[in-house]
């Protein structure tokens, strides 16, 4: 069964959105198979977002993702990687459809509440980074 890495970013934790975000994925029918709250170190942030190294927003991104606790999760289900990306909505909340997490819960590109793996290769890499023992 396919698995994806999914994370509630520090803004989502600060704003008290953990329960309502998890509830959406549970209601959809996906299975939560691992969960932990942690504060990401600068080293881990750079590794997690390695694909964005050198981009103009990289430092802002790593500063933000390390700014407070996140909730890191592994979710399982049929075609879960793509389905969770669809449920997240567009990266920029201004373009995210109503009914999506970002469309309903965020207004800022840099503080867009959630992260989800965008491919099977990314899912395996990110699950390995956050849950080495899975
Ligand atoms: N981001 C940003 N400025 C940009 C592009 C992206 O602050 O111009 C942030 C945004 O919060 C996004 C994260 O960097 O969620 C990672 O970017 P990516 O393109 O991977 O978007 P995602 O996969 O999160 O939708
Ligand atoms: Mg991405």
């Amino acid at each position: 069964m396919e698995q994806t890495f999914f994370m509630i970013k520090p803004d989502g934790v600060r704003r008290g959105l953990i329960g309502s975000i998890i509830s959406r994925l549970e209601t959809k029918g996906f299975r939560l198979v691992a969960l932990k709250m942690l504060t990401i170190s600068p080293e881990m942030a750079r590794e997690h977002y390695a694909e964005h190294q050198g981009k103009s927003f990289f430092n802002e991104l790593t500063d933000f993702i390390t700014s407070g606790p996140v909730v890191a999760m592994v979710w399982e289900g049929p075609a879960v990687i793509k389905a969770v990306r669809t449920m997240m909505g567009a990266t920029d909340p201004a373009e995210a459809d109503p009914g999506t997490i970002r469309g309903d819960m965020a207004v800022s590109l840099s503080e867009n509440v959630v992260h989800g793996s965008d491919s099977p290769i990314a899912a395996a890499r990110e699950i390995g980074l956050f849950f080495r023992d899975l």
Side-chain angles (χ1 to χ4, degrees), residues 32-91:
L32 180 59
V33 297
L35 175 148
K36 67 178 167 192
M37 180 178 265
L38 74 156
T39 301
I40 297 176
S41 69
E43 296 71 31
M44 192 169 177
R46 287 193 287 271
E47 192 172 340
H48 175 64
Y49 281 124
E51 65 173 303
H52 297 304
Q53 207 145 14
K55 294 183 186 166
S56 57
F57 60 88
F58 185 72
N59 287 341
E60 183 196 353
L61 177 58
T62 54
D63 284 351
F64 168 64
I65 208 69
T66 58
S67 68
V70 301
V71 176
M73 292 164 268
V74 178
W75 287 84
E76 186 175 275
V80 68
I81 296 170
K82 188 158 182 282
V84 167
R85 291 289 299 190
T86 302
M87 292 175 73
M88 287 165 57
T91 303

Side-chain angles (χ1 to χ4, degrees), residues 23-32 75-78 87:
S23 179
R24 288 183 180 224
L25 302 196
E26 283 189 320
T27 303
K28 170 72 176 169
F30 293 129
R31 194 165 79 90
L32 180 59
W75 287 84
E76 186 175 275
M87 292 175 73

